[in-house]
Amino acid sequence: MTDMLRNKEVRRFLIFFSLSAAAAATGGAWIDRRAGALILLLSIVYIALFWIFTKYRYKNIDLLSEQIDQVLHNSEHLLIAESQEGELSVLQSEIVKMTRRIREQNKALRREKEHLADSLADIAHQLRTPLTAANLTLSLLEREPGASQRRTLLAETKELYAHMEWLIESLLKLSRLDAGVVEFQSARVRADSLIREAARPLLFSMELHNIALEADVPGDIEIQGDPGWLAEALRNILKNCAESAGDNGRIEIGCEDNPLFTEIVVHDSGPGIPAEDLPFLFERFYRGKNSDTAGYGIGLALCKNILLRQGGTVRAKNHPRGGAMFILRFHK
């Protein structure tokens, strides 16, 4: 009752109607007492019905307010009852939609939080592994080994630190792309030049592991996009193929050009990609069902992100002759 009387509109209506009913009853009584009594009785009945109806609406509004408060406090068990047609029903329907949307967003945020925690733990583990190996190598160097062994240990240490540097730089690039602070340039770049630029930082590692790189790319094929970022995307594909091919492996690069698109195909001589991993290969931090899979699950995700933001696509499949095959397509 006090809640309803706090409402100015209810108070004004009651005062106005009471005065009007009193005036009408008084005027009717001057004409006929029975008419005045009837007007007064009807006015009382109307006020009673109005009071009951308003109280019912306030009860539903209080229930909705309580349910909204539970939603805001992230209540897991919230049941909103259905009401009859009317304004409150429309409001209730919107609250149900809002509740479901908030719950879905909360679940998505919890999943992202758990995924981020797992990813950070995985990154920490990936950084710790080469750091431990590098420290072990340095401790071996302190024992003053022979010149040949020293060169081997130094080469291994450089490779370990190169892996860590690549991981950190890739994470920074991914974060920049996610934040939308990267402004891509648009220029015509020759496909063969793009491949050379992408492969250049990997040549030493490939030579160390005796990996042959063969490229059959016509010199007149050009691609539209940001040369630096396109080279970064292709470099991550080549790095993945080099790790898959292993020692004494081979990587073949081909290129096709037509009026609709330009396509770069990279094929390695490795064992190929497990069928269950193919749908998730370009997801961030995905390293495959096999826990022994090399890599960090970052390079392919970075490649896909770069190409998508420049109107390109990338997909992977297994080559009929064996090994993995990556198709980078640049639409015209």
Side-chain angles (χ1 to χ4, degrees):
M1 179 175 178
T2 55
D3 290 339
M4 290 191 294
L5 292 178
R6 288 197 191 102
N7 192 320
K8 290 184 178 179
E9 294 182 355
V10 174
R11 290 203 308 268
R12 289 173 181 174
F13 174 81
L14 289 175
I15 293 172
F16 175 78
F17 185 82
S18 298
L19 293 176
S20 300
T26 303
W30 280 102
I31 300 173
D32 188 338
R33 288 186 177 181
R34 288 177 297 179
L38 181 61
I39 293 173
L40 182 61
L41 179 62
L42 290 175
S43 299
I44 294 172
V45 171
Y46 182 82
I47 290 176
L49 291 175
F50 169 78
W51 190 265
I52 293 171
F53 177 73
T54 305
K55 186 176 181 180
Y56 174 76
R57 287 174 63 87
Y58 265 79
K59 182 179 179 181
N60 286 336
I61 291 173
D62 288 340
L63 178 61
L64 289 176
S65 299
E66 182 180 350
Q67 292 169 343
I68 291 173
D69 185 65
Q70 293 181 37
V71 173
L72 293 175
H73 287 82
N74 198 24
S75 174
E76 290 296 332
H77 303 286
L78 179 62
L79 186 62
I80 299 180
E82 295 292 335
S83 64
Q84 298 177 355
E85 294 294 331
E87 294 178 354
L88 286 179
S89 177
V90 174
L91 177 61
Q92 208 165 31
S93 176
E94 293 300 319
I95 291 175
V96 170
K97 294 177 184 177
M98 180 192 70
T99 304
R100 290 173 180 170
R101 191 177 302 115
I102 290 175
R103 283 184 171 177
E104 290 173 359
Q105 291 175 348
N106 285 340
K107 289 180 181 178
L109 287 173
R110 281 197 294 269
R111 287 195 299 267
E112 289 182 4
K113 186 177 180 180
E114 292 171 359
H115 179 66
L116 179 61
D118 293 340
S119 300
L120 289 174
D122 186 57
I123 292 169
H125 173 73
Q126 293 293 344
L127 284 173
R128 192 180 298 114
T129 301
L131 274 174
T132 303
N135 289 331
L136 178 61
T137 305
L138 291 175
S139 65
L140 292 175
L141 285 172
E142 289 178 350
R143 299 177 184 177
E144 299 182 359
S148 177
Q149 187 180 3
R150 188 184 301 111
R151 283 193 297 269
T152 303
L153 291 173
L154 286 173
E156 291 177 356
T157 305
K158 287 180 180 179
E159 188 172 355
L160 289 170
Y161 280 109
H163 276 293
M164 288 187 290
E165 183 181 9
W166 176 86
L167 175 60
I168 294 170
E169 287 182 355
S170 297
L171 289 172
L172 290 174
K173 289 170 183 175
L174 268 177
S175 64
R176 289 179 61 200
L177 289 171
D178 290 340
V181 298
V182 177
E183 294 184 4
F184 291 103
Q185 306 298 320
S186 182
R188 302 292 298 178
V189 55
R190 285 177 43 168
D192 56 349
S193 299
L194 178 65
I195 293 170
R196 282 196 300 270
E197 178 61 25
R200 183 176 53 81
L202 305 174
L203 293 178
F204 175 76
S205 177
M206 288 183 181
E207 183 179 354
L208 189 65
H209 294 279
N210 195 28
I211 298 174
L213 179 62
E214 302 174 4
D216 182 14
V217 181
D220 58 343
I221 296 180
E222 292 185 335
I223 296 171
Q224 185 76 29
D226 189 305
W229 283 102
L230 291 180
E232 176 70 29
L234 182 57
R235 184 176 302 123
N236 283 287
I237 295 292
L238 293 174
K239 184 177 184 297
N240 187 88
C241 289
E243 292 172 351
S244 178
D247 293 339
N248 305 313
R250 187 180 70 260
I251 299 175
E252 299 174 351
I253 305 176
C255 190
E256 178 186 344
D257 186 58
N258 60 50
L260 297 178
F261 57 81
T262 301
E263 198 171 72
I264 296 177
V265 179
V266 184
H267 172 219
D268 66 53
S269 60
I273 305 167
E276 63 270 19
D277 292 338
L278 278 172
F280 314 103
L281 197 62
F282 294 95
E283 290 186 6
R284 191 172 305 185
F285 302 117
Y286 183 79
R287 299 181 58 209
K289 301 295 183 182
N290 181 8
S291 59
D292 296 331
T293 302
Y296 307 97
I298 296 177
L300 296 182
L302 179 59
C303 172
K304 180 181 178 180
N305 205 331
I306 292 171
L307 292 182
L308 286 178
R309 291 173 183 267
Q310 298 188 78
T313 59
V314 60
R315 59 191 178 95
K317 63 180 183 178
N318 288 313
H319 197 278
R321 300 198 309 268
M325 186 166 64
F326 293 87
I327 300 99
L328 292 77
R329 180 170 292 183
F330 306 91
H331 299 275
K332 296 182 179 179

